[in-house]
Amino acid sequence: MTEAYPQIDPTTFDLIIVGTGLPESLIAAAASAAGKSVLHLDPNPFYGSHFASLGPDELSAFLSSSSFPPSSSSGEDPATVSLTTRPLYSNVEISSLAPETLEEHARKFNLDVAGPRVLFCADRAIDAILKWSTNHYLEFKAIDANFICVENGKLMRVPDSRSAIFKDKNLSLIEKNQLMKFLKIVQRHLDPDEDASSKVSQEDLESPFAEFLAKIKLPPKIKSIIMYSIAMADHDQDVEACKNILKTKDGIDRLALFQSSVGRFPNSPGALIYPSYGQGELPQAFCRRAAVKRCLYVLRMPVVALLIDEENGQYRGIRLASGQDLFSPKLILDPSFVFPSQAGSSPEEPVHVFSEKAVEAKVARGICITRSSLKPDISNLLVVYPPRSLYPEQDITVRVLQLGSTSAICPPGMFVLYLSALCNDATQGKKLLNTAISAIEVSQISERNAGVKNEDAEVEPPFIIWKAIFIQELSAGKYGSICSTPSPDGNLNYHDLVDAAEKLFHATYPDEAFFPETASPENADEDNCPEDDGPLEEA
Amino acid sequence: MASTGNKNINAKLVLLGDVGAGKSSLVLRFVKGQFVEFQESTIGAAFFSQTLAVNDATVKFEIWDTAGQERYHSLAPMYYRGAAAAIIVYDITNQASFERAKKWVQELQAQGNPNMVMALAGNKADLLDARKVTSEEAQSYAQENGLFFMETSAKTAANVNDVFYEIAKRLPRVQPAPNPSGMVLMDRPAERTASASCCS
């Protein structure tokens, strides 16, 4: 449907939000629920911005279009400041090894721009989904198994529950006992009924997690599992000079999040779930929730300039690509816009930047479409390559998420691998990802050759039929009288992004609640809707 | 997504059509038996469920309204996903709304679910004097495109329940799920606290 830009009516709002990524969508839902009149725009023809799920061609176009700021149509008008975008993605390399196969199924792919990313069943994104009743709109698939790369490139299944520890074949009896003992220490520490003497000491809580784990004599293999596959540490924790040491108290918090995730929904065996049809469903769900609360939606609508009060330089509104001017006291922009420092930042209202946890400024992401699963009997799985597992100087964890057609993100018989690693520069990031991809390919070849006769190997089609690798800039949320939402971060979940959205919302509306007090369905009458057959129901 | 079991059919039904054609009014009439003369264009409820018993099955409709996102052609793909049925609504007193309805039909056909039951509803049939779209024109369009057609009035309730009954009858009784369906999250606070312990 290509039509001329529509005229938007009304022209004044309490809040204008540009970009439909997850943080923007959460803020739109919260502001609409608080009774604010909200206009939510996106220059793209799809929902989700940097959190979208797209077909291979759309994804290629999105990554490269975002790499070139459009020529600014800045006039001489002193009452406007032209709004420019900056490249969030660079070093984009896309290769297609079976274009005809891909073409045939193009519509069946929903590839995440910001992968790999999943939900922990007990994390804040799940809270947001339940509190805003967006669970009616979403379906999830369980991530069935969690692997970690141990010595010699071998993948070991992470024992992520008590029964899994008992059944595990890779751990010796002594190791199992050590692990159980450690989990008991954590359990006692977290139990509010236990007295102080059975808790982890304050001194230990402030010490590095790696030291704490060594102190209670956990062997290196178990230490590695806990730090990189459960606490999801990105940096090598056993290096003196590590810039990002995970403290014991944070490590225990992450462990607690993982453990409470394992038990939360009886039908999800593991801690992690993934939305059917891709990550892009989450912003769509929150946008729909906002729309129900009267938020106005306009896709395919670029914003070209900010309207500025000539007297005091304050932000007044925006100019659309259609030439129409719209006004609002508050504006929230997605991270692809250059944060307009000259506009709206009066001396008494400085721009605040949320602290970024990662020291690195970038994240390398990779997407591979493959013809077979990494593990023959499991389609949705996570693999963690902890520091030094791929090559001796590897100082950053590489995470790989494989999803199959049961998640409705690719056609049957194919799989999608998402990879990510924090990095300082493109060279480092690409080395991390390419080494991980090579390791995966080698393991696939050996797996094939183990069972299949040699003559078949010759006509074997390539394992990876499409591949995209790119570098994404990381940016934190910023707020002044204009706010900027954070870019997708390097984490595996949405925890920090939901936090950042909440902070931005509170900075914008200090007196309003981010989450509604009680879960109010769209309509009281339809409370009867999906019948309760079980908390997390495999329909 | 329509799924069967003991002839209980769950079916997602979506409404499409121009702003002001009467989508929300049709749903409100069907679900609650109500009609509001000047229904606001975006209502605060966009998700209803209603169960209908037809001869051989009980059909539970999950009805999705557009929540106003169609106003600037910004409906999310999520809206169409897994829909077993759609009602495309136009206003018989407004030729442009009929032309828009044809666009929605094309959009639905592009979603590629051949089993989707599609109904064309010419709403506001009580306003005969102001009629701009003849029922013959709509009927022949519907026939050519594999839809069934009814003229309805949310105001008088004429044919409103009939549209839903007809859809219920036409839903495939055994439908292979296009995608294996996933899990739906339901909050159970009691269980959450119970499961907060380590290694449960």
Side-chain angles (χ1 to χ4, degrees), chain A residues 116 118 142-147 155 157 272 373-384 400-404 407 415-418:
Chain A
V118 296
I143 303 302
D144 300 308
N146 192 354
F147 292 89
L155 299 185
R157 189 152 181 177
L272 315 177
S373 174
L374 295 186
K375 293 279 165 187
D377 45 347
I378 310 171
S379 88
N380 300 334
L381 58 91
L382 179 73
V383 183
V384 168
V400 182
L401 175 68
Q402 176 184 282
L403 298 166
S407 303
F415 297 85
V416 179
L417 298 178
Y418 293 103

XYZ file of all heavy atoms in Angstrom, chain A residues 116 118 142-147 155 157 272 373-384 400-404 407 415-418:
256
model
N 21.474 -12.842 19.456
C 20.541 -13.754 20.115
C 19.945 -13.125 21.365
O 20.639 -12.453 22.107
C 21.458 -14.923 20.516
C 22.803 -14.308 20.704
C 22.871 -13.167 19.731
N 16.694 -13.992 24.360
C 15.609 -14.849 24.840
C 15.020 -14.201 26.089
O 15.495 -13.159 26.540
C 16.116 -16.266 25.199
C 16.642 -16.994 23.982
C 17.164 -16.202 26.297
N 9.934 -23.112 24.273
C 10.998 -23.311 25.251
C 12.334 -23.503 24.534
O 12.385 -24.093 23.454
C 10.684 -24.529 26.107
N 13.390 -22.974 25.122
C 14.743 -23.331 24.678
C 15.050 -24.635 25.406
O 15.094 -24.678 26.636
C 15.771 -22.235 25.049
C 15.354 -20.876 24.460
C 17.173 -22.629 24.605
C 15.200 -20.846 22.959
N 15.214 -25.705 24.625
C 15.200 -27.041 25.218
C 16.497 -27.421 25.907
O 16.489 -28.276 26.786
C 14.884 -28.079 24.131
C 13.534 -27.805 23.507
O 12.552 -27.665 24.274
O 13.447 -27.689 22.266
N 17.584 -26.819 25.495
C 18.839 -27.233 26.118
C 19.864 -26.115 26.057
O 19.813 -25.243 25.203
C 19.396 -28.473 25.424
N 20.769 -26.186 26.995
C 21.764 -25.159 27.205
C 23.116 -25.877 27.200
O 23.327 -26.808 27.977
C 21.428 -24.555 28.583
C 22.158 -23.296 28.885
O 23.016 -22.881 28.122
N 21.828 -22.692 30.016
N 24.000 -25.477 26.266
C 25.295 -26.159 26.166
C 26.429 -25.179 26.430
O 26.301 -23.983 26.201
C 25.490 -26.751 24.763
C 24.572 -27.888 24.452
C 23.326 -27.654 23.880
C 24.937 -29.200 24.728
C 22.464 -28.700 23.591
C 24.074 -30.258 24.443
C 22.838 -30.005 23.868
N 30.887 -29.857 23.120
C 29.775 -29.189 23.777
C 29.234 -30.077 24.886
O 28.990 -31.262 24.687
C 28.659 -28.902 22.771
C 29.013 -27.981 21.599
C 27.779 -27.695 20.762
C 29.650 -26.677 22.079
N 26.262 -30.453 27.863
C 24.960 -29.944 28.279
C 25.062 -29.387 29.700
O 25.601 -30.035 30.588
C 23.922 -31.062 28.213
C 22.532 -30.531 28.428
C 21.505 -31.380 27.733
N 20.182 -30.820 27.952
C 19.090 -31.313 27.424
N 19.162 -32.366 26.638
N 17.925 -30.762 27.667
N 14.706 -20.732 29.827
C 14.621 -19.739 28.759
C 13.479 -20.039 27.787
O 13.228 -21.193 27.446
C 15.948 -19.721 27.967
C 17.234 -19.721 28.795
C 18.441 -19.771 27.867
C 17.299 -18.496 29.680
N 20.445 -29.211 12.324
C 20.569 -28.757 13.703
C 21.941 -29.097 14.260
O 22.553 -30.087 13.859
C 19.484 -29.425 14.541
O 19.662 -29.109 15.901
N 22.415 -28.275 15.186
C 23.682 -28.570 15.844
C 23.604 -29.883 16.598
O 24.594 -30.591 16.754
C 24.049 -27.444 16.824
C 24.326 -26.071 16.242
C 24.815 -25.129 17.332
C 25.349 -26.160 15.129
N 22.415 -30.177 17.108
C 22.205 -31.449 17.814
C 21.008 -32.118 17.147
O 19.940 -31.501 17.032
C 21.893 -31.191 19.301
C 23.054 -30.618 20.068
C 24.024 -31.726 20.457
C 25.357 -31.134 20.893
N 26.363 -32.181 21.123
N 21.169 -33.363 16.717
C 20.151 -34.006 15.884
C 18.730 -33.977 16.466
O 17.771 -33.835 15.743
C 20.648 -35.444 15.759
C 22.061 -35.439 16.194
C 22.307 -34.224 17.012
N 18.608 -34.101 17.779
C 17.264 -34.263 18.337
C 16.729 -33.001 19.019
O 15.657 -33.036 19.607
C 17.257 -35.440 19.323
C 18.471 -35.391 20.250
O 19.405 -34.617 19.957
O 18.485 -36.099 21.264
N 17.466 -31.904 18.955
C 17.020 -30.690 19.648
C 17.020 -29.536 18.649
O 17.998 -29.345 17.926
C 17.960 -30.331 20.824
C 18.195 -31.552 21.712
C 17.380 -29.188 21.648
C 19.267 -31.339 22.753
N 15.937 -28.790 18.591
C 15.967 -27.702 17.619
C 16.221 -26.336 18.245
O 16.878 -25.502 17.651
C 14.712 -27.725 16.746
O 13.677 -27.000 17.314
N 15.724 -26.085 19.457
C 15.958 -24.779 20.081
C 16.977 -24.931 21.206
O 16.695 -25.584 22.208
C 14.662 -24.204 20.648
C 13.601 -24.017 19.575
O 13.925 -23.842 18.391
N 12.346 -24.058 19.958
N 18.141 -24.350 21.023
C 19.188 -24.549 22.033
C 20.131 -23.355 22.088
O 20.230 -22.575 21.149
C 19.964 -25.837 21.747
C 20.655 -25.974 20.382
C 22.078 -25.449 20.455
C 20.677 -27.423 19.951
N 20.795 -23.260 23.230
C 21.766 -22.192 23.443
C 23.147 -22.817 23.606
O 23.281 -23.847 24.265
C 21.402 -21.422 24.722
C 22.317 -20.278 25.127
C 22.118 -19.094 24.194
C 22.048 -19.855 26.569
N 24.144 -22.214 22.977
C 25.511 -22.664 23.174
C 26.339 -21.464 23.619
O 26.265 -20.399 23.018
C 26.145 -23.236 21.881
C 27.549 -23.764 22.160
C 25.279 -24.321 21.279
N 27.106 -21.663 24.669
C 27.989 -20.602 25.144
C 29.432 -21.040 24.914
O 29.808 -22.152 25.285
C 27.726 -20.305 26.641
C 28.822 -19.425 27.217
C 26.364 -19.657 26.829
N 25.630 -18.416 21.213
C 24.979 -18.864 19.983
C 23.605 -19.425 20.359
O 23.502 -20.290 21.228
C 25.804 -19.971 19.280
C 25.132 -20.386 17.976
C 27.234 -19.503 19.022
N 22.588 -18.916 19.711
C 21.232 -19.418 19.940
C 20.762 -20.054 18.648
O 20.794 -19.427 17.594
C 20.302 -18.247 20.317
C 18.815 -18.559 20.492
C 18.580 -19.435 21.719
C 18.012 -17.263 20.611
N 20.368 -21.321 18.716
C 19.785 -21.959 17.533
C 18.276 -22.077 17.719
O 17.797 -22.510 18.768
C 20.361 -23.344 17.304
C 19.668 -24.056 16.124
C 20.134 -25.476 15.915
O 21.205 -25.711 15.358
N 19.332 -26.424 16.389
N 17.541 -21.684 16.687
C 16.087 -21.815 16.704
C 15.667 -22.557 15.451
O 16.267 -22.397 14.391
C 15.424 -20.430 16.736
C 15.745 -19.592 17.975
C 15.338 -18.149 17.760
C 15.048 -20.160 19.209
N 14.615 -23.358 15.590
C 14.136 -24.122 14.439
C 12.751 -23.684 14.016
O 12.191 -22.720 14.558
N 9.621 -22.624 16.123
C 9.445 -21.267 16.637
C 8.839 -20.347 15.587
O 8.716 -19.148 15.813
C 10.794 -20.681 17.069
O 11.397 -21.503 18.018
N 17.284 -24.132 10.074
C 17.513 -23.614 11.423
C 18.177 -22.255 11.296
O 18.792 -21.958 10.268
C 18.405 -24.576 12.220
C 17.753 -25.928 12.426
C 17.858 -26.911 11.446
C 17.003 -26.173 13.560
C 17.219 -28.141 11.610
C 16.368 -27.397 13.725
C 16.468 -28.386 12.747
N 18.037 -21.445 12.326
C 18.708 -20.146 12.320
C 19.611 -20.079 13.546
O 19.185 -20.402 14.664
C 17.697 -18.981 12.337
C 18.441 -17.641 12.346
C 16.765 -19.051 11.124
N 20.863 -19.709 13.309
C 21.818 -19.513 14.409
C 22.018 -18.016 14.598
O 22.267 -17.298 13.636
C 23.181 -20.122 14.068
C 23.291 -21.618 13.831
C 24.737 -21.957 13.450
C 22.913 -22.366 15.104
N 21.884 -17.559 15.818
C 22.215 -16.169 16.144
C 23.462 -16.187 17.009
O 23.537 -16.968 17.961
C 21.081 -15.517 16.929
C 19.828 -15.333 16.123
C 18.745 -16.183 16.297
C 19.731 -14.305 15.189
C 17.586 -16.020 15.547
C 18.584 -14.138 14.441
C 17.512 -14.996 14.619
O 16.383 -14.823 13.871
